[in-house]
Amino acid sequence: MGVHFVPRGEGLLMRLWAGVSREIALACDRAGRITELCGALPGAAIGLPLWELAIPGQRERLRRAFAAALAQEQQSDWIELALPGAASGPEWFELRIDPVMLGPDHGLGAVCVARSIEQRRRLEREAFAAAMTDPLTGFTNRTAFTAMLAHLADHAVPGCIALVDLDRFRAFNLRHGHAAGDRLLVSFARLLRQVTQPQHILSRVDGETFAVIMPGAGLGEAHASGAAITAALAEV
């Protein structure tokens, strides 16, 4: 199914589209050059090939998608790509390419619709972080700990693991209450951050059990880290 523009109606149609939609709409000729634009894009887009809008690492993918849409003369799937943004960095969009006949004198071209998915991707990142984070201590949780171990093993990354268990924690909980137990765990997590190295990965793998993944560490470094943890606890 195609859209037929009459020569004097192209600009009007694009303006009407912009008036009822928050999406970015672009018209391109057969070579992929942008001839019409409705919506805000950084820089001067008119006359540029469509794929020049994407960040460098994604331009070839967009160019191939445009060529495939015109060759098959059918609507493309939605493509997720990053377009250069303001000072805050690239912004993520999803884009669809629809081949159209641009009137009898213009031949085959395309209309492209791009809509921002930055908020959706931000929510996805936050949901992923929440699923992999222990909400009390801010450490990675058991799920993330297992995944990271599998990743390191798959890539044959050497290293060591230290497991730290707080003795008599359940008795402490029963005597002082869960709120006091939570404060104790938070305090211990803060201490663990102070005595471990920035490259170490800290996880809470059970109620009172913590793990320190030390990628690339030998036994000497691992023993030194463990000694630092027990010495710090002895001073509390």
Side-chain angles (χ1 to χ4, degrees), residues 216-227:
L219 286 177
E221 180 183 340
H223 281 303
S225 296

Side-chain angles (χ1 to χ4, degrees), residues 56-78:
Q58 298 180 351
R59 289 174 182 171
E60 180 59 22
R61 175 168 167 256
L62 182 53
R63 188 196 66 78
R64 289 198 302 266
F66 181 87
L70 262 63
Q72 297 177 16
E73 298 188 6
Q74 63 184 22
Q75 173 182 305
S76 70
D77 294 328
W78 288 99

Side-chain angles (χ1 to χ4, degrees), residues 161-166 188 191-197 200 202 210-214 221-236:
I161 301 172
L163 293 177
V164 184
D165 191 81
L166 299 180
F188 175 69
L191 177 67
L192 202 56
R193 282 195 186 94
Q194 293 171 352
V195 299
T196 52
Q197 301 300 315
H200 293 169
L202 307 178
F210 294 79
V212 182
I213 302 177
M214 295 172 270
E221 180 183 340
H223 281 303
S225 296
I229 294 170
T230 54
L233 281 174
E235 296 176 0
V236 174

Side-chain angles (χ1 to χ4, degrees), residues 125-145:
R125 290 193 297 268
E126 291 174 354
F128 177 81
M132 294 292 182
T133 304
D134 172 52
L136 183 64
T137 63
F139 288 176
T140 54
N141 60 19
R142 186 184 186 93
T143 300
F145 171 75

Side-chain angles (χ1 to χ4, degrees), residues 4-8 10 101-108:
H4 294 270
F5 290 154
V6 296
R8 297 193 178 187
E10 296 176 11
M101 291 300 298
L102 299 175
D105 299 327
H106 298 278
L108 185 67

